[in-house]
Amino acid sequence: MGQHVSRTDFEWVYTEEPHASRRKVILEKYPQIKRLFGYDPNFKWVVTLMVLTQFAMLFVMKDRSWPTIFLVGYCFGGVINHSLMLAVHEISHNLAFGHGRPFYNKMFGFFANLPIGIPISISFRKYHLEHHKYQGDELKDTDIPTYLEAKLFCTTFGKFLWVVLQPFFYAFRPLVTYPKKPTMLEFINTVIQIIFDAIVVYFFGGRVLGYLIFGSVMAMGLHPVAGHFISEHYMFKKGYETYSYYGPLNWITFNVGYHNEHHDFPYVPGSRLPEVKKIAPEFYDDLPQHHSWTAVLYDFIMDPDVGPYARMKRKRRGFE
């Protein structure tokens, strides 16, 4: 089973989440960062190309064997679908068409969602924006593992299983810890996705739908691009709760590795986050950072000081 993790509880802190105050200080010194706010007009074309690539792959993968489905899904299709999930992340901040056109953003989210195979666009936004506002909150930040997860997956082998099963925890944890009533847009997202999936099965077969869905799931687990799930907020150095990664995988993930920059300025599109760091380097260069998402996965599994408990957590704000 391997070593048992050294932590027996989360890292409880009694300060506000750090990024609102950082944002204020940084903007006081560098008000020109506000010029980076808005949307990237090239973003929609990049996402459209990714979606069309997966549409083309439906023809390529038709009648392929299951081993080929899984191999190509892991190495290629899952990478594109993970990138599309991060496009959905950008869209959740209205960074496809801007804050003045929320309807266009939502419709484009439905489109970007299609190759992923599972309806996530609207539900992700519903929880993700609260992750920003209430980072570390014991109820509202559903990015934090539950006590059950932390207690069950507390050995080297347990953490390995947790990483493999991470897509399921990521999807179902909010429904258990912080359930919200489904909205009409979520129903629409689901209906559109079911219709698309049914079309794929009818014209291309169930294995091709498997290429899309299994690729999405595999690329959220034990996969290099999924390293960002752990690298972003797991406490690899005591006292620090957000970490950036500046390596090459940012090229295919809309710069989600620039995570301190993103939390400081969520209205800046991913393509411009490197500019934030360039303008205000003294606010980022000395922070702990990751250099490899693969190394993050390895360290998370093998280091007994890191595990599901390695998160900074805050008591719920307000009254019942």
Side-chain angles (χ1 to χ4, degrees):
M1 297 294 286
Q3 288 181 292
H4 199 284
V5 295
S6 58
R7 298 189 64 91
T8 58
D9 198 359
F10 297 99
E11 183 81 1
W12 289 94
V13 293
Y14 301 93
T15 58
E16 295 291 316
E17 68 86 22
H19 296 286
S21 58
R22 280 176 53 84
R23 184 181 310 122
K24 182 178 179 181
V25 172
I26 295 171
L27 284 177
E28 284 177 353
K29 187 171 183 180
Y30 299 108
Q32 64 266 38
I33 287 178
K34 290 183 178 179
R35 295 194 214 113
L36 303 176
F37 290 9
Y39 68 97
D40 179 354
N42 293 320
F43 171 79
K44 59 182 175 293
W45 303 118
V46 173
V47 173
T48 298
L49 180 61
M50 288 181 176
V51 172
L52 294 179
T53 298
Q54 285 293 68
F55 286 177
M57 287 300 294
L58 301 180
F59 295 90
V60 175
M61 299 309 294
K62 187 176 181 181
D63 299 324
R64 301 290 180 177
S65 66
W66 276 113
T68 302
I69 292 289
F70 282 106
L71 180 62
V72 179
Y74 185 88
C75 296
F76 181 76
V79 176
I80 294 180
N81 281 2
H82 198 90
S83 187
L84 286 171
M85 291 179 193
L86 293 169
V88 168
H89 166 254
E90 289 276 291
I91 295 165
S92 74
H93 291 283
N94 288 323
L95 294 175
F97 293 94
H99 290 274
R101 290 181 282 187
F103 177 78
Y104 290 175
N105 285 287
K106 291 181 176 67
M107 294 302 105
F108 195 63
F110 294 157
F111 174 68
N113 197 151
L114 293 177
I116 296 170
I118 307 163
I120 65 167
S121 180
I122 300 299
S123 300
F124 175 82
R125 184 179 192 275
K126 185 167 65 173
Y127 286 101
H128 180 69
L129 297 184
E130 293 199 11
H131 161 68
H132 274 266
K133 187 175 181 180
Y134 303 107
Q135 182 175 310
D137 185 284
E138 62 180 337
L139 174 68
K140 295 183 177 181
D141 188 354
T142 58
D143 190 59
I144 299 174
T146 63
Y147 270 109
L148 182 61
E149 292 170 64
K151 289 180 183 296
L152 286 178
F153 303 97
C154 59
T155 63
T156 302
F157 181 68
K159 289 188 290 181
F160 169 80
L161 287 179
W162 186 86
V163 170
V164 172
L165 297 173
Q166 187 174 213
F168 301 99
F169 293 123
Y170 198 82
F172 294 112
R173 185 189 302 133
L175 304 180
V176 175
T177 63
Y178 189 29
K180 295 185 178 186
K181 185 178 180 180
T183 66
M184 180 56 67
L185 282 173
E186 285 178 285
F187 285 118
I188 293 172
N189 190 183
T190 301
V191 169
I192 291 173
Q193 193 64 54
I194 289 173
I195 292 172
F196 175 80
D197 290 353
I199 290 172
V200 170
V201 171
Y202 183 81
F203 287 102
F204 300 97
R207 278 183 286 188
V208 177
L209 180 62
Y211 159 77
L212 296 177
I213 294 178
F214 292 139
S216 297
V217 172
M218 289 187 293
M220 289 181 70
L222 193 66
H223 195 291
V225 295
H228 75 90
F229 287 127
I230 293 172
S231 77
E232 292 166 356
H233 296 294
Y234 283 80
M235 193 175 63
F236 283 80
K237 185 172 182 180
K238 189 174 177 64
Y240 293 89
E241 59 187 298
T242 307
Y243 300 77
S244 288
Y245 155 82
Y246 301 117
L249 289 178
N250 279 303
W251 301 341
I252 56 172
T253 55
F254 299 100
N255 285 327
V256 74
Y258 286 75
H259 216 66
N260 268 300
E261 294 83 347
H262 171 61
H263 271 262
D264 288 344
F265 300 102
Y267 297 151
V268 174
S271 60
R272 298 175 193 160
L273 289 175
E275 192 67 20
V276 171
K277 184 177 185 293
K278 185 177 179 181
I279 291 171
E282 69 272 28
F283 289 95
Y284 299 102
D285 287 349
D286 295 331
L287 293 176
Q289 57 190 252
H290 295 293
H291 303 286
S292 165
W293 280 340
T294 303
V296 165
L297 293 174
Y298 178 85
D299 291 342
F300 179 85
I301 293 169
M302 301 302 295
D303 188 345
D305 292 332
V306 186
Y309 273 132
R311 290 294 296 261
M312 295 177 73
K313 204 169 181 180
R314 296 172 171 85
K315 291 293 183 181
R316 184 182 179 188
R317 285 168 34 171
F319 300 96
E320 291 290 343

